[in-house]
Amino acid sequence: MSNNSEFLWYIPNDIKAGHRGDSAVENHNSLDTLTSHARALEEHGWKGALIGTGWGRPDTFTVAASLAARTTTFEPLIAIRPGYWRPANFASAAATLDHLTGGRVRINIVSGKDNLAAYGDSEGDQAHRYGRTKEFMRLVRRLWTEDNVTSAGEHFRVAESTVVPRIQVRGERRHPKFYFGGASEAAERVAATEADVQLFWGEPLDGVRERIGRLKALSRELDRDLPPLEFGLRITTLVRDTTEQAWAEAEAKVAEMARSKGTGWHDHQRVLAVGQQRLLELHERGDVLDDNLYTAPGKFGGGGAGTTWLVGSAEDVARSLRKYQDLGITHFVLSDTPYLSEIKRQGDQLLPLLRS
């Protein structure tokens, strides 16, 4: 696999213990516990971690800043929502954290539905929602790279705005990368023009190949004026010492999900976005697709990255991830539970195979 590929993990950032089968330990979301995850990521070869967001969770930016302060190389991929943040306020906060951490900030822009009324936001239809996201991303990037920005858009306005501290250019990195998801036509048009990295859920290879081709064509059609769009995969990787052990544990986990009706798993299924619906329909094609993409979790409550799993030995899963890399995926956000022990196992067993 290309040495240009980057490997991140996932920190769930949830009030309730036991997220997606995680160990329900006391103080699971304390700073000490979360720091132990971030430091384990540093020690076992990971670049950083996506930190989940949503109303009713601890504030993601605060968690990211706290973990960055307790680590030295850990790079938080901070999930944020336009509307929860105003562009200039967010650009300033992110620029400050990027300055304090020596350039370790990454941003995941989330446009999916949330409990907007609880934090005083409102949105119109899908076109309005993605129009606002597009404007937010374009304006934040301008605030990071230009001085005295004046903009009067449909959704946001600023006048003579200069964000300080300024983002320091580091090689080819002019500012934190914008990661973005979404599979609807409206979402893909935003990704094609504004995102730095398009994240896919764990679809089969043929689906990812089709979407990469479509996004590249859209980038040309819409006259993208940024560096070429990059692609990432957010997926569960269930790795055990042998293929047989991995499948036995995967099937046991799904049986428990069926028994508990997906308790602790279905945090992406309250409103079915286009991408989530695509994942949930995969099991109609079979419980196992490609070589080892397990779709059965989607039947019993698995949502988001928990809907499909790559299952097997480290060699099995590495072989499958290489096939995604061959399609053009260079950013990987992996996870399995228990999160802490799997950071170590997959960091020690899987990552060396992917870097060889």
Side-chain angles (χ1 to χ4, degrees), residues 20-21 250-269 276 279-284 286-287 294-304 306-309:
R20 293 185 182 161
E251 291 168 357
K253 279 192 175 189
V254 168
E256 175 58 25
M257 289 170 66
R259 186 197 64 77
S260 65
K261 298 181 179 179
T263 300
W265 284 81
H266 41 60
D267 55 350
H268 280 267
Q269 294 187 319
Q276 180 63 74
L279 280 189
L280 291 172
E281 292 171 354
L282 287 176
H283 67 76
E284 297 173 4
D287 281 353
Y294 195 31
T295 68
K299 296 180 186 179
F300 302 109
T307 313
T308 58
W309 310 345

Side-chain angles (χ1 to χ4, degrees), residues 6 8 47-48 75-79 98 104-108 173 176-179 331:
E6 296 184 338
L8 290 86
K47 194 78 170 176
E75 298 189 12
L77 175 52
I78 308 168
D98 200 63
R104 287 192 273 146
V105 171
R106 300 164 184 244
I107 303 300
N108 181 32
R173 181 189 187 269
K177 284 185 176 178
F178 280 140
Y179 292 65
H331 299 260

Side-chain angles (χ1 to χ4, degrees), residues 14-19 28-29 56 264:
D14 208 318
I15 288 291
K16 297 187 286 288
H19 183 266
H28 72 284
N29 67 337

Side-chain angles (χ1 to χ4, degrees), residues 237-256:
T237 44
L238 196 154
V239 174
R240 297 299 181 265
D241 291 341
T242 68
T243 304
E244 294 73 21
Q245 289 173 358
W247 280 105
E249 185 150 344
E251 291 168 357
K253 279 192 175 189
V254 168
E256 175 58 25

Side-chain angles (χ1 to χ4, degrees), residues 61 85 87-100 105 144 163-164:
F61 202 93
W85 289 88
N89 176 234
F90 173 72
S92 175
T96 300
L97 185 58
D98 200 63
H99 166 70
L100 293 173
V105 171
W144 281 340
V163 166
V164 292

Side-chain angles (χ1 to χ4, degrees), residues 271-348:
V271 179
L272 292 184
V274 172
Q276 180 63 74
Q277 187 62 53
R278 282 168 63 107
L279 280 189
L280 291 172
E281 292 171 354
L282 287 176
H283 67 76
E284 297 173 4
R285 293 168 51 183
D287 281 353
V288 181
L289 302 178
D290 295 338
D291 296 324
N292 56 338
L293 184 68
Y294 195 31
T295 68
K299 296 180 186 179
F300 302 109
T307 313
T308 58
W309 310 345
L310 285 175
V311 178
S313 66
E315 291 78 8
D316 296 333
V317 173
R319 189 179 309 115
S320 295
L321 291 175
R322 287 192 193 98
K323 292 179 181 178
Y324 286 101
Q325 196 270 346
D326 288 343
L327 297 180
I329 302 291
T330 54
H331 299 260
F332 295 85
V333 184
L334 312 179
S335 66
D336 189 26
T337 55
Y339 288 111
L340 182 56
S341 60
E342 290 308 308
I343 287 170
K344 299 173 183 178
R345 183 207 302 269
Q346 296 194 32
D348 295 346

Side-chain angles (χ1 to χ4, degrees), residues 26-256:
E26 187 177 359
N27 297 322
H28 72 284
N29 67 337
S30 70
L31 181 55
D32 284 345
T33 298
L34 296 176
T35 299
S36 71
H37 288 224
R39 288 179 175 165
L41 288 163
E42 290 184 320
E43 293 164 3
H44 294 271
W46 302 90
K47 194 78 170 176
L50 170 64
I51 304 177
T53 192
W55 188 252
R57 285 174 157 179
D59 178 68
T60 310
F61 202 93
T62 305
V63 171
S66 299
L67 294 181
R70 286 195 165 196
T71 53
T72 56
T73 63
F74 169 79
E75 298 189 12
L77 175 52
I78 308 168
I80 67 106
R81 293 175 181 272
Y84 186 95
W85 289 88
R86 302 286 296 178
N89 176 234
F90 173 72
S92 175
T96 300
L97 185 58
D98 200 63
H99 166 70
L100 293 173
T101 61
R104 287 192 273 146
V105 171
R106 300 164 184 244
I107 303 300
N108 181 32
I109 300 291
V110 180
S111 288
K113 291 184 179 294
D114 194 18
N115 188 1
L116 305 180
Y119 53 87
D121 191 23
S122 61
E123 288 178 344
D125 57 14
Q126 184 190 63
H128 179 276
R129 179 155 50 98
Y130 282 106
R132 183 171 76 164
T133 296
K134 176 182 173 69
E135 192 175 309
F136 182 94
M137 294 167 75
R138 174 67 50 152
L139 181 51
V140 169
R141 188 181 277 109
R142 286 190 64 195
L143 289 164
W144 281 340
T145 58
E146 301 175 23
D147 295 328
N148 300 316
V149 175
T150 295
S151 176
E154 180 181 352
H155 306 280
F156 305 110
R157 291 172 177 260
V158 297
E160 295 296 312
S161 182
T162 299
V163 166
V164 292
R166 302 303 293 159
I167 295 284
Q168 181 179 338
V169 175
R170 301 170 187 274
E172 295 182 357
R173 181 189 187 269
R174 297 182 63 215
H175 55 74
K177 284 185 176 178
F178 280 140
Y179 292 65
F180 185 70
S184 67
E185 180 181 355
E188 289 191 338
R189 292 179 74 86
V190 173
T193 56
E194 304 301 330
D196 296 304
V197 180
Q198 165 74 39
L199 279 177
F200 302 121
W201 296 122
E203 293 189 48
L205 293 163
D206 57 358
V208 172
R209 181 185 297 108
E210 174 194 8
R211 292 194 61 199
I212 288 176
R214 186 164 63 248
L215 283 161
K216 287 182 175 180
L218 263 178
S219 293
R220 293 189 295 269
E221 176 187 328
L222 300 174
D223 295 324
R224 177 183 174 91
D225 59 359
L226 300 171
L229 182 62
E230 301 172 40
F231 303 101
L233 182 70
R234 169 73 187 102
I235 192 169
T236 294
T237 44
L238 196 154
V239 174
R240 297 299 181 265
D241 291 341
T242 68
T243 304
E244 294 73 21
Q245 289 173 358
W247 280 105
E249 185 150 344
E251 291 168 357
K253 279 192 175 189
V254 168
E256 175 58 25

